């Protein structure tokens, strides 16, 4: 029977609660009731991502995410999609540096189906994994790489910047999509060993959120997952620790067929899960989070040297996070002009910090984003899994808003002064191949992400 149980209604959690349980095989289970709508979200996080891969086999975590939809012992071919969608549900899976997740949102009366499907592929995927499915999904992933990275303007920016920001040999040096050569080199036995090592119940967290009866749900989890054996052979991931500051400006110029010159940069920031990381998030929001931000007002509205200017954050727990600057130039504007203006704004912010109005607006913006995630059953299920896998405590998801609101303006200024400086960034400059630069007419700003 399930072992262990906690229930918490944290202060500031908006009345949201979560209970935690652990099966005898090591599977952690988090349940959260929400009877507002007759739906339930199932989310399963495996503690494996691209940081767990070894040189020569990059992209295997992402490839395996696709293989998990290719059938299991009792669900053949595309059956997982067909059964969920036929029951009125939705589903998907994603891979990042630090985890792989799978999720379904179902009408409440179809919750048991989703649990059975996830348990069947956790317990019996190897019975259906063969050369045909391996080759099929290898081609799918390679085509995804072409469509999302290799054959779109600025498509390789995320890959190039992470390779600059994290040195050769670092577990975050390569992105989850993997290289074409490594995808070609992956064998069926590689995939089978990967599954045996990482797709075990004691390397996973299952959350179920929504219109559920906890006792019935837990009984279903025990029924379908309880007999799956754990696995103790998982190697510890390589350390992702690095100095807080890069120590120099790393730079690469890329000449490609892009619609406009672009300045992109990745700044090394504090690890996710720390107060300094929340402060950095607020700093980037003031500087580049939307049309009220300092960089947008300076470059797009005042100087009119850019059609888009933004600052985002890639939160990472096992390595320094990244602050992601993305500026697309206007007309024939040269990148050095943009870069000088950016450095001027960052230096001013590091010296003065945010105004009270900027601080209030940034905190409200992040609070809204958090509440939007926690307000949906799927978003809350994902956050409960995230905090359980990365930080050991799913309850932290329910108080994340409070931690953001507790940050002071001095902390925001201090983290900006320590990190948003020229000697702590990797820079990517895009120059169009054409002799006459075309304007980016719509001004859309596309930021590459870690999820594949």
């Amino acid at each position: 029977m399930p072992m262990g149980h906690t229930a918490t209604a944290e202060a500031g959690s908006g009345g949201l609660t979560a209970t935690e349980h652990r099966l005898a095989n090591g599977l952690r289970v988090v349940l959260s009731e929400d009877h507002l709508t007759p739906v339930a979200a199932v989310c399963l996080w495996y503690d494996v991502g691209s940081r767990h891969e070894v040189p020569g086999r990059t992209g295997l975590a992402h490839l395996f995410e696709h293989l998990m939809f290719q059938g299991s012992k009792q669900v053949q071919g595309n059956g997982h999609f067909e059964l969920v969608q036929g029951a009125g549900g939705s589903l998907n899976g994603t891979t990042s540096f630090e985890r792989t997740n799978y999720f379904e949102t179902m009408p409440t009366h179809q919750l048991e189906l989703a649990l059975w499907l996830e348990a069947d592929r956790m317990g019996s995927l190897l019975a259906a994994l063969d050369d045909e499915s391996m080759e099929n999904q290898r081609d799918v992933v390679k085509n995804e790489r072409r469509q999302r990275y290799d054959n779109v303007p600025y498509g390789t920016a995320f890959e190039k910047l992470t390779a600059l920001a994290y040195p050769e040999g670092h577990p975050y040096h390569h992105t989850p999509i993997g290289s074409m050569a490594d995808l070609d080199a992956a064998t069926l036995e590689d995939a089978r060993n990967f599954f045996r090592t990482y797709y075990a119940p004691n390397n996973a967290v299952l959350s179920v959120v929504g219109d559920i009866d906890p006792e019935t749900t837990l009984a279903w989890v025990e029924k379908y997952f309880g007999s799956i054996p754990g696995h103790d052979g998982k190697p510890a991931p390589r350390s992702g620790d690095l100095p807080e500051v890069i120590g120099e400006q790393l730079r690469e110029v890329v000449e490609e067929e892009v619609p406009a010159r672009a300045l992109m940069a990745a700044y090394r920031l504090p690890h996710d899960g720390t107060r300094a990381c929340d402060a950095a998030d607020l700093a980037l929001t003031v500087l580049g989070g939307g049309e009220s931000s300092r960089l947008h007002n300076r470059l797009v509205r005042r100087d009119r040297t850019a059609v888009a200017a933004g600052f985002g954050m890639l939160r990472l727990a096992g390595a320094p996070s990244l602050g992601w600057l993305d500026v697309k130039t206007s007309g024939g504007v040269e990148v050095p002009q943009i870069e000088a203006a950016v450095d001027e704004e960052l230096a001013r912010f590091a010296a003065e910090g945010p105004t009270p109005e900027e601080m209030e607006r940034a905190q409200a913006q992040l609070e809204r984003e958090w509440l939007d995630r926690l307000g949906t059953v799927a978003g809350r299920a994902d956050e409960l899994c995230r905090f359980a896998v990365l930080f050991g405590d799913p309850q932290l998801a329910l108080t994340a808003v409070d931690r953001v609101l507790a940050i002071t303006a001095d902390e925001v200024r201090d983290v900006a002064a320590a990190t948003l400086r020229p000697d702590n960034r990797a820079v990517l400059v895009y120059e169009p191949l054409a002799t006459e630069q075309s304007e980016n007419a719509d001004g859309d700003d596309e930021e590459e992400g870690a999820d594949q």
Side-chain angles (χ1 to χ4, degrees), residues 26-352:
L27 178 67
R28 297 180 66 187
V29 183
V30 185
L31 306 179
S32 180
E33 289 184 77
D34 183 346
H35 301 289
L36 188 62
T37 55
V39 296
V42 173
C43 187
L44 189 59
W45 271 46
Y46 290 93
D47 186 11
V48 58
S50 59
R51 70 168 175 159
H52 296 86
E53 295 166 350
V54 297
R57 290 298 182 268
T58 65
L60 196 55
H62 179 221
L63 174 61
F64 212 91
E65 172 214 317
H66 285 256
L67 290 172
M68 284 283 278
F69 289 99
Q70 282 297 288
S72 49
K73 185 175 181 179
Q74 301 180 78
V75 183
Q76 296 182 354
N78 202 40
H80 195 112
F81 274 102
E82 294 169 355
L83 286 168
V84 170
Q85 293 172 340
S90 60
L91 73 162
N92 212 332
T94 66
T95 311
S96 77
F97 290 100
E98 300 181 323
R99 60 96 184 106
T100 307
N101 67 348
Y102 303 90
F103 45 92
E104 296 89 5
T105 300
M106 306 288 281
T108 299
H109 68 283
Q110 297 287 3
L111 170 59
E112 186 178 8
L113 171 63
L115 294 172
W116 174 76
L117 286 167
E118 287 293 358
D120 191 59
R121 61 181 174 181
M122 178 191 280
S124 68
L125 187 93
L126 290 185
L129 184 58
D130 56 20
D131 286 314
E132 182 180 355
S133 59
M134 182 79 173
E135 292 308 313
N136 176 279
Q137 290 309 301
R138 190 201 311 271
D139 289 343
V140 169
V141 172
K142 289 169 66 176
N143 193 47
E144 180 181 335
R145 180 185 170 88
R146 294 185 191 100
Q147 291 180 338
R148 296 184 58 185
Y149 283 73
D150 298 335
N151 297 333
V152 295
Y154 317 108
T156 58
F158 180 69
E159 190 172 44
K160 290 178 182 296
L161 272 180
T162 52
L164 283 174
Y166 302 112
E168 186 77 37
H170 190 273
Y172 293 70
H173 178 72
H174 68 278
T175 58
I177 193 68
S179 72
M180 284 292 196
D182 286 356
L183 288 169
D184 282 333
T187 67
L188 181 60
E189 192 56 32
D190 289 332
R192 287 174 172 162
N193 288 334
F194 192 87
F195 179 84
R196 294 187 190 102
T197 301
Y198 295 108
Y199 278 75
N202 55 322
N203 195 47
V205 173
L206 171 69
S207 66
V208 186
V209 176
D211 186 25
I212 64 173
D213 175 76
E215 186 175 341
T216 300
T217 302
L218 196 57
W220 284 336
V221 172
E222 175 65 30
K223 177 181 178 181
Y224 298 121
F225 289 88
S227 62
I228 303 172
H231 179 77
D232 297 326
K234 175 188 172 182
R238 291 172 292 149
S239 172
D241 289 342
L242 289 169
E244 293 183 1
V245 174
I246 296 174
E248 61 177 321
Q249 182 173 207
L250 307 172
R251 198 175 192 90
E252 182 178 340
V253 177
V254 181
E255 294 185 356
E256 288 185 1
E257 292 184 5
V258 291
R261 292 188 179 96
L263 171 68
M264 301 185 188
Y267 292 79
R268 192 175 290 177
L269 298 178
H271 289 235
D272 192 14
T274 64
R275 191 176 176 98
C277 187
D278 288 336
D281 205 351
L282 286 164
L284 300 190
T285 302
V286 172
L287 287 164
E291 295 185 359
S292 63
S293 67
R294 289 197 182 192
L295 291 179
H296 185 90
N297 281 326
R298 169 70 186 270
L299 299 172
V300 179
R301 288 183 176 172
R302 196 193 89 178
D303 296 353
R304 297 187 178 181
T305 53
V307 294
F311 232 145
M313 188 173 191
L314 174 62
R315 285 177 173 260
L316 295 170
S321 302
L322 290 183
W324 184 273
L325 173 71
D326 189 348
V327 182
K328 305 296 193 313
T329 66
S330 175
V333 175
E334 301 281 347
V335 167
Q337 182 180 351
I338 293 284
E339 194 166 4
V342 168
D343 285 344
E344 183 180 318
E345 291 299 325
L346 296 187
R348 180 181 295 114
F349 188 80
E352 302 171 359

Side-chain angles (χ1 to χ4, degrees), residues 8-17 33-34 371 374 380 397-402:
T8 307
E10 296 284 356
S13 65
L16 302 177
T17 62
E33 289 184 77
D34 183 346
L371 294 177
L374 295 179
R380 195 184 322 155
L398 306 182
T399 55
V401 171
D402 293 337

